[in-house]
Amino acid sequence: MSWIALVGPELEENLSLRYLAAALATEGWRAEILPFNRPRDLATIVRTIAEADEPPLVVGISVAFQWRAVEMLAVVMGLREAGYRGHITAGGHFATFAAEDLLADFTELDSVCRHESEQTIVELVDALVAGRAIDTIAGVVTRDTAGTVVAGPMRHPPDLATLAHPDRRGLPKQCFGHALAPLVSSRGCYADCSFCCIASWHEQTLPGKRYRVRPPEDVADEMIALKRERGVEIFIFHDDNFFVPSKKKNLERFHALADALEERDIGPFGIVVKARPNDADLEVFRVLRDRLHALRSYVGIETDADQGLVTLQRRLASKQNHAAIEVLRELDMFGCFNMLIFDPDTTLPSLETNVEFMANAADFPFNFCRTELYAGTPLLRRMLAEKRTSGDWLHYDYRLRTPEVQRVFEMSIDAFTPRNFGPGALHNNIGGWRLELETCRLFHAEVFRPAWLERMKALHRCVGLDTVEGLRAIIEHVRSGKPSDDAAFVADMAPRLRALEHDVTQRWRVLRAEMDAAVAATRHDPRSLGHDMTPLQNAVPVDETAREVLHYV
Ligand code: B12
Ligand code: SF4
């Protein structure tokens, strides 16, 4: 039997590819997943496909992340150079919104499957095998015989209740010795922030409807299967937003899921979710904590400045950001957030407001960055209309509104890149560390010491307030208006930032070793772990790249 190669990031089990693999398997097709996590994977992928005894019928490449599009296109070019003659298709968020540009500029690529593609990829493969035309398949964009880009109709998205559960081959990752798995209980989000493509995604395929949810029983069945078959105890919900815009419905849904899990006798488990600040209601979060054992709730603060809230179209008020933090504190829950402190309209006062927010919420881990212009977003459309972009459809760049804010941005990026981005970045890692601590707190309550949590919070404050201090110093430097060398200012500050990062990392290692030792001591007595909580011998530990996943998912 011939096969289909699916290429994409696998920092964890990649649900995009694994839903497609499951859909293909249901129709009798074998799909192999080829992870593309680092530049060195490129050569392996090209070799595996081009030198296969039987080359795949179709290669499908996931281009969800715009910033990785060039690397993904390198696979396409590499395959053609290596002589692969089969059909190459692409899908995912960026490919969907940039389908026409991709096909116009890269003749090596044969088609793009837009939006959710479980059905589209099956129909594409069937048509190719049967030698039928593909240009009328819903969801497919391709070229006609004259080379003109042609798009089939939009594909109506699948009924989530009918989808095959994602393919789960491979060993699960772990967090503090407990296996984890990503999953989704819904697709879409009720909001329509200007920097995000999720609302456009649904608007194009289901006008007027922003999200769809799975029946709680179906979600519970998937979780139970993951637990029984793979030992998964931590469920990372990748829903764009785990919440719907109704307190009553959230309560009903979370209770229904908890009931379904209890009926199925799930045993110990924890979850990770994402929320908007206005979703953080005390009663709802109490259910999340007590019945669904939320280990972490990412609360999308993004900005606390009135200007930012308008530019980013957050449709909420600053007081709701503050209230969300209070809910987390009141329930002693772990939350984390990211701040888009730089956006196209940022002013020095709005920057100061956001830095103030960070200072007030420094007992939680956070990160900050600039708002990027992603394909399919209202913000990109606005910036193009205002002629404020540079670059092209692969990557649009922009300058901030005033020279002062642009200076603060450039200095901040220079000073904070090692702390904010990439493997080893403390702002990312510390969120992963806290998740390990919360995992210990939930699953090993018998040895967990409250003092560990206080030490962890002290580390959050230490990092958060140091970041605040650095940002304030940069803003003050720019505000002072004195002519001076920005690079020298950053060069002077950077060693202090790096020293603190080193110190905090060491303090975490000591804390982690204490937790490890306490838990290891209980493992001499298997009964103390509970009937289904024996350490997983085979699960894969979380590596540094995956810590990034643990922080942001
Ligand atoms: C999980 C996730 C991650 C994980 C990635 C895990 C992995 N895959 O290894 C982590 C946490 C690492 C992550 C990080 C980031 N992410 Co993210 N992430 C998501 C999230 C929330 C869910 C993805 C998912 O599993 N979806 C469920 C599956 C079933 O749906 P799907 O991905 O849409 O897949 C369907 C279709 O797209 C299509 N499809 C997808 N691939 C392919 C391939 C082929 C061949 C075909 C035919 C079809 C197809 O068919 C699939 C099945 O229906 C999405 C939002 C979303 N709704 O998808 C954002 C999203 C993809 N992330 C986004 C961003 C911006 C980021 C970050 C840049 C954030 C940051 N500032 O750090 C980083 C960078 C990641 C990196 N290092 O490369 C943006 C991408 C925007 C863009 N166009 O670039 C999204 C869309 C979120 C958003 N609201 O804007 N992310
Ligand atoms: S709340 Fe999050 S997922 Fe929803 S539209 Fe805004 S950024 Fe996108």
Side-chain angles (χ1 to χ4, degrees):
M1 186 183 87
S2 196
W3 59 294
I4 289 94
L6 296 175
V7 179
E10 271 268 318
L11 299 174
E12 52 174 34
E13 292 158 25
N14 180 327
L15 294 175
S16 330
L17 299 181
R18 284 157 181 270
Y19 265 105
L20 297 177
L24 286 162
T26 307
E27 298 302 320
W29 293 109
R30 176 169 68 91
E32 294 297 338
I33 294 173
L34 306 181
F36 189 2
N37 292 338
R38 336 186 144 70
R40 66 169 181 266
D41 296 337
L42 174 62
T44 314
I45 293 166
V46 170
R47 245 194 342 267
T48 307
I49 293 173
E51 294 175 12
D53 291 339
E54 188 188 8
L57 280 168
V58 174
V59 176
I61 301 180
S62 188
V63 198
F65 303 114
Q66 180 155 357
W67 77 275
R68 294 204 59 197
V70 170
E71 280 180 293
M72 296 298 166
L73 285 163
V75 176
V76 182
M77 314 297 274
L79 285 173
R80 293 305 186 208
E81 275 171 21
Y84 175 71
R85 299 202 187 289
H87 188 95
I88 306 183
T89 191
H93 290 80
F94 180 61
T96 293
F97 291 112
E100 287 169 9
D101 287 322
L102 277 166
L103 286 161
D105 287 5
F106 292 87
T107 49
E108 295 81 1
L109 183 68
D110 296 306
S111 67
V112 169
C113 296
R114 288 192 283 184
H115 305 103
E116 294 162 52
S117 302
E118 283 86 351
Q119 191 59 30
T120 312
I121 194 153
V122 168
E123 289 181 22
L124 177 71
V125 172
D126 286 345
L128 289 167
V129 170
R132 288 195 303 270
I134 60 166
D135 56 355
T136 51
I137 299 176
V140 169
V141 186
T142 186
R143 277 182 295 271
D144 63 15
T145 44
T148 308
V149 177
V150 285
M154 291 291 175
R155 156 91 47 194
H156 196 78
D159 173 357
L160 298 182
T162 64
L163 286 180
H165 292 171
D167 184 314
R168 295 290 180 175
R169 71 189 76 179
L171 297 171
K173 296 254 183 202
Q174 285 188 1
C175 177
F176 200 71
H178 295 267
L180 56 86
L183 76 166
V184 289
S185 72
S186 66
R187 291 186 185 178
C189 169
Y190 64 82
D192 60 348
C193 306
S194 65
F195 58 96
C196 173
C197 63
I198 297 300
S200 313
W201 180 271
H202 261 68
E203 196 52 41
Q204 289 185 351
T205 49
L206 267 185
K209 191 155 171 62
R210 293 248 174 83
Y211 62 90
R212 290 125 61 220
V213 296
R214 290 173 63 192
E217 296 71 25
D218 183 32
V219 179
D221 285 342
E222 185 181 357
M223 291 168 73
I224 293 291
L226 284 167
K227 183 146 196 202
R228 302 227 165 108
E229 291 159 23
R230 297 170 62 73
V232 169
E233 291 174 316
I234 302 174
F235 299 91
I236 309 226
F237 282 95
H238 275 327
D239 304 43
D240 296 295
N241 184 354
F242 195 62
F243 299 75
V244 298
S246 152
K247 174 176 173 175
K248 185 169 164 284
K249 287 197 175 128
N250 285 328
L251 284 171
E252 282 168 6
R253 192 156 149 261
F254 298 165
H255 278 304
L257 179 58
D259 290 344
L261 291 168
E262 275 172 24
E263 277 160 24
R264 289 160 178 75
D265 197 16
I266 187 162
F269 74 100
I271 68 167
V272 166
V273 300
K274 285 185 285 188
R276 279 168 56 84
N278 53 295
D279 298 319
D281 172 86
L282 201 57
E283 200 183 339
V284 175
F285 266 52
R286 193 170 277 122
V287 175
L288 210 59
R289 183 192 67 178
D290 297 343
R291 296 208 66 205
L292 292 173
H293 314 294
L295 291 163
R296 185 185 64 208
S297 308
Y298 174 91
V299 179
I301 300 288
E302 318 297 0
T303 180
D304 194 46
D306 290 342
Q307 164 275 313
L309 289 164
V310 172
T311 300
L312 302 183
Q313 208 171 288
R314 293 290 287 157
R315 301 196 194 282
L316 54 83
S318 157
K319 64 177 183 212
Q320 290 168 291
N321 289 335
H322 292 267
I325 295 294
E326 284 314 317
V327 167
L328 293 169
R329 282 190 186 130
E330 165 97 24
L331 297 173
D332 196 16
M333 289 174 76
F334 166 31
C336 60
F337 59 93
N338 185 46
M339 305 226 42
L340 297 172
I341 63 172
F342 300 103
D343 69 47
D345 303 320
T346 298
T347 59
L348 287 181
S350 53
L351 265 176
E352 284 160 339
T353 303
N354 278 326
V355 173
E356 193 58 27
F357 186 90
M358 294 175 188
N360 290 331
D363 43 337
F364 298 96
F366 63 81
N367 204 347
F368 72 88
C369 61
R370 183 180 77 159
T371 312
E372 296 304 325
L373 303 178
Y374 289 124
T377 62
L379 192 60
L380 173 59
R381 281 197 292 279
R382 180 198 132 183
M383 294 293 275
L384 286 169
E386 290 178 6
K387 301 198 181 349
R388 281 187 61 193
T389 59
S390 57
D392 62 16
W393 62 272
L394 270 168
H395 177 228
Y396 283 111
D397 202 353
Y398 67 100
R399 290 184 71 76
L400 290 142
R401 177 68 81 187
T402 67
E404 290 75 24
V405 177
Q406 180 69 23
R407 268 177 76 198
V408 175
F409 167 64
E410 286 171 12
M411 291 173 72
S412 306
I413 291 302
D414 285 350
F416 283 96
T417 288
R419 184 174 292 192
N420 293 16
F421 309 112
L426 181 61
H427 276 155
N428 284 339
N429 281 350
I430 198 164
W433 299 340
R434 174 71 182 270
L435 186 61
E436 292 183 65
L437 182 131
E438 294 292 338
T439 302
C440 178
R441 184 184 179 195
L442 177 69
F443 292 100
H444 305 281
E446 73 287 2
V447 295
F448 187 80
R449 292 187 214 140
W452 290 340
L453 179 57
E454 293 315 311
R455 276 161 66 187
M456 188 81 235
K457 287 183 187 167
L459 291 184
H460 294 323
R461 274 190 291 270
C462 181
V463 178
L465 294 177
D466 187 65
T467 295
V468 164
E469 194 186 316
L471 286 171
R472 279 184 181 148
I474 291 172
I475 295 169
E476 180 53 38
H477 166 81
V478 170
R479 262 204 189 285
S480 72
K482 290 184 210 134
S484 83
D485 182 351
D486 292 352
F489 188 89
V490 171
D492 183 52
M493 172 187 283
R496 291 198 298 278
L497 298 178
R498 301 300 83 82
L500 180 121
E501 288 152 16
H502 179 76
D503 175 56
V504 168
T505 305
Q506 296 310 316
R507 285 161 63 189
W508 158 252
R509 288 195 177 133
V510 172
L511 176 52
R512 168 76 207 238
E514 281 178 40
M515 296 191 322
D516 279 344
V519 172
T522 68
R523 286 195 167 140
H524 295 311
D525 174 5
R527 285 165 306 174
S528 64
L529 288 170
H531 68 284
D532 56 358
M533 291 182 65
T534 45
L536 285 155
Q537 301 299 327
N538 294 327
V540 181
V542 170
D543 60 21
E544 287 303 315
T545 327
R547 282 192 202 291
E548 197 183 334
V549 177
L550 290 179
H551 182 52
Y552 277 106
V553 293

